[in-house]
Amino acid sequence: MHRIAFIAHGLLARGSAKRKLVDTIAFPCLLAFLLAGFACPRATGDVGVVLNESLDTSVDRISGTGHSAVYFSRICPESPVKLRLCGPGEHGSVMSNYINIGEDQPFEWNVVPLNIYLYGVEDIRNRPIFGSFKIKHVLEERYRKNYLSSLCAGAPCMNSYKSEWREMVAATFIRSIYIFAVDTTEVQDRELIAEFNDSPNKNHFNGVTRNCADFTRRVINTYFPNATGPDYLNDFGMTSPKAIARSFTHYALRHPESNLRVLHFAQVPGTIKRSSEVRAGTEQLYHSKKFLVPMIMFADYAVPVTAGSYLLTGRFNPVREFERRPAVDDVSPPDKQNGTVSPDEVTRLVGTSEQWKEYRRAFDSLVVEDVHENVIHDRRDLKGFFKNFDKAGVPFVDERGLLWMETSENGRPAKVGLSASNILAAESDPQLAHELLLTRIDRVLKSPKHSRETMFEFVQDWATLQRASEKHAAIVARNGPLQNGLKGTAQSDGGND
């Protein structure tokens, strides 16, 4: 793999043409590397604890616990309720349980293909680059028809947006995700398949003793007895998703031969509210003012106990674990002695603060130049683009699995690609593609670490933006200055997002 230039000072100055990366051959190399973690055959399989960030809904809004699931690299769905070994070209799966999956039978668990779980599409090259509930519902309906039709024929399952099977389709639209993975043998995978295929798949969910974290604990401990466990002290007698991720990480570090690595999938930029960092019970009390203030007023004696318990025994930062042990084993295996990867590989995948600042400065310069050249009207136009673009558009998935948005631009019908593989397609409107990529880059650069994509992915976004800018600049030069575009759209509702 060639060394890739990340930094924005690797961009060349240009006259009327847009800046481009010095190492333009890096883009296909980057794409190949991104796919390598999913597609390259390995002597071992993986099992992992999936830690999903917290949503601003239901009990999660108060507790901040998030959700837990299980990742397999060598186990795939024969059906949503039946397991088998993966075949060539398949990329694994995610198994999860919920209070009520919502299907016609009360199943305890479902399993879905990994890329369906993450992005709602089978091929990662078609991953969506913009997310909204409108788009997610299109992907959910496609999944229901293609995979779930025999289990989801009743009206409640088909029509209710509260059916929790929907959370297993394009999960990155609604939250950021971490996977803490270790090696498995084929014998272990086959034993897991046999156990779960032969056991009754009937829901017995209980929020205290049989919740999603307890289910993950059961699956992981089938592979590695006592590898995961609850933290009753910090979670007030319950099992939390963060406790499972934390205990599994500690187990893997005690067993360096397990080859621990962490994957991070950021929430897709779009109109859906950003997810929050997942927390344990005492951690939520420690950080949340809405709980801390009442405790100080009515139970002040509990504050030092809660704070002490969290600070001494409950601290665990998924972002930091990802930065220490990113999943780069297909390029440079972790040091088996200490479970770490080289600083160069960490930088390649995670990036440094200075690199992100350099990209922010380069992006600011790019926007200034776009305004000067009438490619866009004003920097403020980016603020309202996502909301108005989604409101005006109608998304659909074509027969190849590519996501599109049909809309209008300056009073004429237009279509723009919403997938990484078709945003710059010939039939994708170049002006909308450019504006969409500009807004996406802006959101990523403004995001905190826990909801920001990896530097590795961002370099691809940046290269795509350069190509979109060049394509659109040529059209502007040929057809004259922009007449309407973003400004008119954003002003339709005051430019608010």
Side-chain angles (χ1 to χ4, degrees):
M1 178 67 66
H2 300 291
R3 182 168 297 278
I4 298 166
F6 284 127
I7 315 298
H9 63 242
L11 303 175
L12 294 176
R14 57 166 174 79
S16 59
K18 299 295 178 187
R19 293 185 176 93
K20 64 175 72 177
L21 290 170
V22 172
D23 189 0
T24 54
I25 65 171
F27 182 75
C29 294
L30 281 166
L31 181 58
F33 181 83
L34 179 66
L35 296 175
F38 294 92
C40 289
R42 302 173 65 239
T44 59
D46 306 322
V47 66
V49 172
V50 179
L51 182 63
N52 290 350
E53 286 199 333
S54 175
L55 303 179
D56 187 34
T57 58
S58 189
V59 177
D60 211 14
R61 180 183 302 173
I62 301 173
S63 65
T65 54
H67 181 71
S68 184
V70 185
Y71 157 70
F72 307 105
S73 69
R74 193 160 41 197
I75 297 176
C76 286
E78 182 174 318
S79 76
V81 293
K82 200 79 170 178
L83 306 176
R84 61 171 173 79
L85 287 178
C86 295
E90 294 184 294
H91 306 141
S93 63
V94 172
M95 175 192 279
S96 185
N97 83 324
Y98 294 91
I99 296 175
N100 180 11
I101 297 176
E103 294 158 345
D104 299 340
Q105 300 180 51
F107 293 111
E108 179 183 29
W109 55 266
N110 268 198
V111 60
V112 301
L114 173 64
N115 291 336
I116 292 288
Y117 183 84
L118 293 174
Y119 299 115
V121 294
E122 291 83 1
D123 192 335
I124 194 173
R125 291 171 297 187
N126 298 335
R127 63 186 176 91
I129 61 172
F130 166 71
S132 71
F133 281 118
K134 183 188 292 186
I135 298 170
K136 189 174 188 299
H137 294 331
V138 168
L139 295 173
E140 290 167 356
E141 182 61 16
R142 178 176 179 270
Y143 170 77
R144 189 192 65 79
K145 290 180 178 179
N146 292 346
Y147 296 88
L148 209 63
S149 57
S150 63
L151 305 177
C152 186
C157 182
M158 294 175 59
N159 302 326
S160 175
Y161 289 133
K162 295 183 178 180
S163 296
E164 291 180 307
W165 63 263
R166 297 179 182 275
E167 289 197 21
M168 300 186 73
V169 181
T172 56
F173 275 39
I174 59 177
R175 52 179 147 204
S176 294
I177 296 171
Y178 297 88
I179 301 179
F180 301 81
V182 301
D183 291 344
T184 64
T185 65
E186 185 173 330
V187 171
Q188 288 176 305
D189 291 331
R190 287 185 180 275
E191 290 176 349
L192 188 284
I193 291 172
E195 176 174 335
F196 276 80
N197 282 350
D198 294 341
S199 300
N201 185 356
K202 189 172 183 179
N203 189 25
H204 298 286
F205 191 97
N206 181 292
V208 177
T209 60
R210 293 180 67 98
N211 60 34
C212 63
D214 289 304
F215 178 81
T216 298
R217 176 188 177 190
R218 169 190 164 194
V219 176
I220 297 296
N221 288 356
T222 300
Y223 281 95
F224 310 103
N226 302 314
T228 64
D231 183 357
Y232 290 139
L233 180 62
N234 286 291
D235 290 316
F236 309 118
M238 299 173 60
T239 306
S240 74
K242 195 167 189 178
I244 297 302
R246 178 172 172 263
S247 60
F248 187 54
T249 298
H250 291 171
Y251 169 85
L253 293 179
R254 294 194 302 269
H255 298 81
E257 70 279 3
S258 65
N259 188 22
L260 173 67
R261 56 268 191 203
V262 184
L263 297 90
H264 179 223
F265 301 92
Q267 186 176 358
V268 177
T271 61
I272 300 175
K273 185 173 181 177
R274 303 293 90 181
S275 60
S276 303
E277 294 179 272
V278 64
R279 290 173 176 172
T282 55
E283 182 182 9
Q284 180 74 336
L285 293 176
Y286 180 81
H287 285 287
S288 178
K289 293 181 180 179
K290 61 185 176 184
F291 293 123
L292 186 59
V293 172
M295 284 182 64
I296 293 174
M297 294 177 61
F298 301 108
D300 59 310
Y301 57 86
V303 173
V305 175
T306 299
S309 176
Y310 163 63
L311 293 173
L312 293 175
T313 67
R315 302 180 76 176
F316 179 73
N317 190 327
V319 174
R320 193 166 298 142
E321 295 301 324
F322 168 67
E323 292 175 342
R324 289 171 177 167
R325 302 170 185 88
V328 295
D329 54 320
D330 288 293
V331 175
S332 178
D335 185 334
K336 297 290 185 178
Q337 298 301 314
N338 57 26
T340 61
V341 296
S342 71
D344 286 345
E345 295 297 347
V346 172
T347 298
R348 178 181 299 189
L349 189 60
V350 178
T352 65
S353 296
E354 185 54 37
Q355 286 174 333
W356 287 108
K357 290 178 182 177
E358 287 286 343
Y359 269 112
R360 166 51 67 183
R361 287 191 284 267
F363 180 75
D364 290 342
S365 298
L366 184 65
V367 172
V368 169
E369 191 165 357
D370 280 346
V371 173
H372 177 72
E373 296 181 1
N374 293 316
V375 177
I376 62 174
H377 283 95
D378 192 281
R379 174 66 175 269
R380 291 171 297 181
D381 295 338
L382 299 180
K383 185 178 180 181
F385 177 77
F386 275 171
K387 180 178 180 180
N388 292 286
F389 174 69
D390 184 59
K391 183 178 179 180
V394 177
F396 70 95
V397 182
D398 68 15
E399 65 281 356
R400 297 172 295 171
L402 297 172
L403 191 62
W404 299 87
M405 183 78 88
E406 289 183 331
T407 184
S408 62
E409 180 70 4
N410 301 332
R412 60 176 176 81
K415 182 174 75 170
V416 63
L418 299 181
S419 301
S421 56
N422 71 344
I423 182 70
L424 298 182
E427 58 269 45
S428 180
D429 185 274
Q431 179 175 314
L432 285 173
H434 178 239
E435 295 167 357
L436 181 62
L437 288 166
L438 272 178
T439 309
R440 176 184 167 91
I441 291 285
D442 186 46
R443 292 296 178 85
V444 172
L445 289 172
K446 290 179 178 177
S447 297
K449 284 184 179 181
H450 73 93
S451 61
R452 185 176 66 197
E453 67 182 10
T454 66
M455 176 61 77
F456 202 88
E457 295 169 301
F458 181 79
V459 169
Q460 296 175 71
D461 286 348
W462 187 265
T464 304
L465 175 62
Q466 305 309 304
R467 294 192 293 159
S469 296
E470 291 173 357
K471 182 178 180 180
H472 188 241
I475 293 174
V476 171
R478 183 172 64 249
N479 298 335
L482 184 67
Q483 297 298 319
N484 293 301
L486 266 172
K487 186 174 183 180
T489 303
Q491 285 182 346
S492 65
D493 73 341
N496 294 322
D497 191 6

